[in-house]
């Protein structure tokens, strides 16, 4: 059994969908399960519907029209005029309108999952129909009946026992099956999601439950590179990486693979390949048990838009457990994810992600108990397997506020010039 994951970039338009069909024809489709994300940047477009529903009702129609046109246009380029897929798309989009009309809940996260899921439902419907249309027989499955989760909307936790049971009883591993990435279902029949970019994780879940021989994630890059090509000009392909090294890289913020994907694969030693859907003849990257990293070169990870905070006591007491635990409680309460910590006798510094924009509220709640200074909009560079030369290059990017060096990892907080 092999599991393939096709992300948004690989199915962003009609030509990309035809390319997926070509890849499948080349690679073979027996004993294969496809995990598919929403097309292109559609998840953001579905988020706009949710935001309009809560903040600006007049925009609802416009945001729905945007996703309608996007999918209809792709379908027009793939299917004849009277093909059943056009109607299936209309029905799915109609369900969004119907749901919003009768919804009474004010729970943003709940509503988010009930709406955003249509990105994956539409993408898989279109891809599955197209593959059948060109003779690649397949079965479409609703993943919400397979991946069972709790009811923590937007960040659901998988119930492994139930999921394994559902997958093994519902999936015929000798055939080609298509499922949605990113989605799950709770015990009450609601849709849940596994967190943004969660489709890679879906592939890991299926591979684990089906004891797959391998997982391939198809990307618009050659494979895993030693740096994000959107930020760094010169990058090199990593041919082989161990599970542990990949987890470290994902943990520090390498956004090419969702961090939760690796552990299920590692526990059953299922290899993960990252390959290019643009050039499927290339070998890409293999993630498996074995050498940590080949070639052994420095890897760069950057997290933008962080806040660097320095905290010291007002009464010159030492920065020890009770103070630190109080600070951590507040960081947790305001959802400020800590990416670097350094403490000395009298001060405590952290670099945090202000993803939910709660920093100002955090500052208001802490400023009367501690002396706090901060720098907003800093970048956190992490270099695995650093050399002195690589550290110098980062130092030149701006004013470095703090550098922390461990055996294999250097982290530098930089305020850009
Ligand atoms: P998907 O279509 O599967 O959702 P993503 O867009 O989430 O794909 O991930 C692929 C992108 O990740 C690449 O286009 C690349 O810009 C970015 N990326 C960030 N870090 C790396 C890295 N270390 N190696 C390769 N790509 C990376
Ligand atoms: N479509 C979802 C997202 O954009 C999940 C994924 O693509 O992995 O976050
Ligand atoms: Mg993605």
């Amino acid at each position: 059994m092999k599991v393939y994951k096709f992300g948004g970039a690989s199915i962003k338009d009609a030509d990309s969908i035809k390319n997926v069909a070509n890849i499948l024809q080349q690679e073979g489709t027996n004993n294969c399960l496809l995990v598919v994300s929403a097309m292109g940047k559609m998840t953001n477009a579905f988020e706009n519907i949710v935001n309009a529903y809560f903040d600006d009702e007049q925009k609802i129609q416009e945001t729905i029209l945007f996703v309608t046109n996007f999918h209809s246009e792709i379908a027009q380029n793939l299917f004849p005029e009277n093909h059943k897929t056009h109607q299936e798309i209309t029905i799915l989009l109609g369900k969004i309108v119907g749901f919003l009309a009768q919804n009474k809940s004010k729970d943003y996260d709940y509503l988010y999952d009930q709406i955003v899921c249509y990105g994956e439902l539409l993408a898989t419907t279109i891809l599955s129909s197209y593959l059948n249309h060109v003779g690649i027989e397949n079965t479409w499955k609703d993943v919400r009946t397979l991946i069972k989760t709790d009811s923590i909307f937007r960040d659901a936790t998988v119930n492994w026992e139930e999921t394994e049971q559902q997958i093994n009883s519902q999936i015929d591993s000798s055939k080609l099956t298509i499922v949605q990435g990113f989605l799950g279902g709770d015990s009450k029949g609601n849709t849940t999601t596994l967190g943004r970019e969660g489709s890679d994780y879906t592939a890991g879940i299926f591979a684990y439950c089906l004891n797959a021989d391998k997982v391939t994630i198809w990307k618009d890059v050659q494979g895993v590179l030693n740096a994000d090509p959107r930020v760094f000009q010169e990058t090199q392909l990593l041919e082989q990486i161990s599970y542990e090294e990949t987890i470290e890289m994902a943990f520090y913020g390498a956004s090419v693979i969702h961090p939760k994907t690796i552990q299920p694969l590692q526990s059953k030693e299922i290899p993960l390949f990252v390959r290019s859907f643009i050039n499927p003849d290339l070998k890409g990257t293999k993630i498996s048990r074995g050498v940590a990293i080949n070639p052994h070169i420095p890897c760069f990870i950057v997290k933008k838009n962080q806040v660097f905070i320095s905290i010291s006591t007002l009464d010159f007491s030492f920065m020890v457990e009770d103070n630190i635990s109080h600070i951590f409680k507040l960081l947790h309460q305001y959802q400020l994810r800590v990416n670097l910590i350094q403490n000395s006798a009298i001060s405590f510094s952290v670099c945090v992600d202000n993803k939910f924009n709660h920093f100002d509220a955090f500052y208001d709640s802490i400023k009367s108990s501690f002396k706090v200074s901060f720098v907003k909009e800093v970048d956190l560079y992490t270099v695995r397997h650093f050399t002195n030369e690589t550290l110098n290059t980062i130092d030149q990017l701006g004013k470095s506020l703090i550098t922390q060096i461990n055996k294999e990892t250097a982290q530098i907080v930089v305020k850009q010039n």
Side-chain angles (χ1 to χ4, degrees):
M1 184 89 197
K2 57 196 179 200
V3 175
Y4 286 163
K5 181 249 165 171
F6 286 97
S10 67
I11 48 164
K12 67 179 196 306
D13 51 29
D15 283 343
S16 319
I17 290 172
K18 291 177 186 170
N19 180 52
V20 169
N22 290 338
I23 292 178
L24 293 173
Q25 254 145 0
Q26 227 171 61
E27 300 279 324
T29 52
N30 287 338
N31 313 92
C32 189
L33 180 122
L34 300 191
V35 173
V36 180
S37 309
M39 293 172 162
K41 301 271 177 231
M42 274 296 110
T43 302
N44 296 349
F46 283 94
E47 281 181 351
N48 291 342
I49 301 179
V50 180
N51 294 336
Y53 179 81
F54 280 103
D55 302 334
D56 191 355
E57 276 196 21
Q58 283 182 335
K59 286 232 170 87
I60 295 179
Q61 219 181 347
E62 178 188 320
T63 52
I64 294 180
L65 189 64
F66 183 75
V67 300
T68 305
N69 290 343
F70 180 91
H71 292 96
S72 307
E73 206 177 300
I74 290 180
Q76 274 156 23
N77 285 315
L78 293 174
F79 304 104
E81 215 172 287
N82 56 356
H83 197 271
K84 68 173 181 18
T85 310
H86 301 296
Q87 205 194 346
E88 284 170 1
I89 293 172
T90 309
I91 291 171
L92 281 169
L93 290 162
K95 284 187 182 174
I96 299 178
V97 179
F99 176 84
L100 290 178
Q102 51 93 58
N103 172 64
K104 302 243 171 351
S105 171
K106 294 207 168 5
D107 179 345
Y108 181 92
D109 292 350
Y110 160 77
L111 201 100
Y112 180 102
D113 284 358
Q114 311 320 303
I115 298 300
V116 165
C117 64
Y118 284 94
E120 270 68 17
L121 292 169
L122 283 155
T124 48
T125 300
I126 293 173
L127 181 66
S128 168
S129 294
Y130 180 72
L131 294 179
N132 277 324
H133 181 63
V134 296
I136 304 175
E137 253 178 68
N138 69 88
T139 310
W140 181 96
K141 279 270 183 196
D142 188 333
V143 81
R144 297 171 295 183
T145 68
L146 297 163
I147 295 188
K148 303 310 296 180
T149 71
D150 62 11
S151 303
I152 308 294
F153 298 106
R154 293 182 71 193
D155 191 20
T157 298
V158 174
N159 176 335
W160 284 94
E161 211 176 306
E162 227 189 300
T163 298
E164 207 166 356
Q165 201 186 340
Q166 290 300 337
I167 288 179
N168 282 303
S169 62
Q170 291 194 53
I171 300 291
D172 177 350
S173 57
S174 67
K175 301 237 169 81
L176 174 64
T177 307
I178 300 190
V179 297
Q180 306 75 40
F182 177 51
L183 315 182
D186 73 2
S187 58
K188 299 180 201 96
N190 298 310
T191 305
T192 57
T193 59
L194 305 172
R196 282 302 305 263
E197 302 295 331
S199 295
D200 293 345
Y201 181 38
T202 306
I205 297 168
F206 274 96
Y208 177 91
C209 294
L210 291 164
N211 290 313
D213 300 315
K214 64 172 181 179
V215 176
T216 305
I217 297 185
W218 298 89
K219 298 266 178 190
D220 61 355
V221 279
Q222 266 186 72
V224 180
L225 306 167
N226 73 325
D228 186 337
R230 293 167 298 191
V231 183
F232 295 86
Q233 274 168 1
E234 281 170 39
T235 57
Q236 256 179 282
L237 176 73
L238 301 173
E239 287 168 27
Q240 153 84 44
I241 324 175
S242 67
Y243 296 117
E244 291 82 2
E245 182 67 31
T246 312
I247 291 169
E248 292 286 340
M249 284 174 61
F251 174 79
Y252 286 117
S255 59
V256 67
I257 298 169
H258 191 280
K260 285 184 179 171
T261 315
I262 305 298
Q263 264 150 333
L265 301 179
Q266 182 183 22
S267 74
K268 291 197 175 174
E269 292 194 9
I270 301 168
L272 168 65
F273 295 86
V274 180
R275 289 175 62 188
S276 161
F277 62 76
I278 298 165
N279 197 343
D281 294 332
L282 299 177
K283 267 174 75 182
T285 301
K286 180 180 184 185
I287 295 162
S288 64
R289 203 167 81 120
V291 291
I293 184 162
N294 178 35
H296 198 281
I297 49 175
C299 298
F300 298 79
I301 299 144
V302 57
K303 281 193 174 229
K304 299 247 167 207
N305 243 326
Q306 309 278 298
V307 186
F308 182 64
I309 316 169
S310 296
I311 305 169
S312 50
T313 53
L314 290 170
D315 57 3
F316 301 106
S317 63
F318 291 128
M319 194 46 99
V320 287
E321 293 81 0
D322 54 348
N323 289 326
I324 295 177
S325 74
H326 178 63
I327 296 167
F328 263 105
K329 226 165 142 186
L330 290 174
L331 289 167
H332 178 70
Q333 185 183 333
Y334 290 99
Q335 292 177 291
L336 294 165
R337 161 124 201 247
V338 177
N339 288 319
L340 176 144
I341 307 166
Q342 189 149 304
N343 78 309
S344 70
I346 51 161
S347 88
F348 176 78
S349 306
V350 282
C351 184
V352 300
D353 209 319
N354 190 22
K355 191 160 82 180
F356 296 95
N357 278 320
H358 295 163
F359 173 75
D360 293 342
F362 163 81
Y363 179 65
D364 283 342
S365 76
I366 198 173
K367 67 182 183 204
S368 58
S369 330
F370 293 94
K371 187 171 160 228
V372 184
S373 64
F374 60 85
V375 187
K376 284 187 176 177
E377 288 176 27
V378 299
D379 301 332
L380 171 63
Y381 287 86
T382 302
V383 190
R384 296 274 298 161
H385 319 294
F386 60 92
T387 59
N388 286 338
E389 199 190 325
T390 51
L391 298 187
N392 289 340
T393 354
I394 292 182
D395 268 341
Q396 281 159 20
L397 295 173
K399 183 172 181 279
S400 77
L401 303 176
I402 199 167
T403 300
Q404 196 171 69
I405 296 192
N406 300 323
K407 194 163 161 258
E408 290 291 350
T409 311
Q411 291 195 288
I412 307 173
V413 177
V414 177
K415 177 74 185 168
Q416 290 231 0
N417 294 325

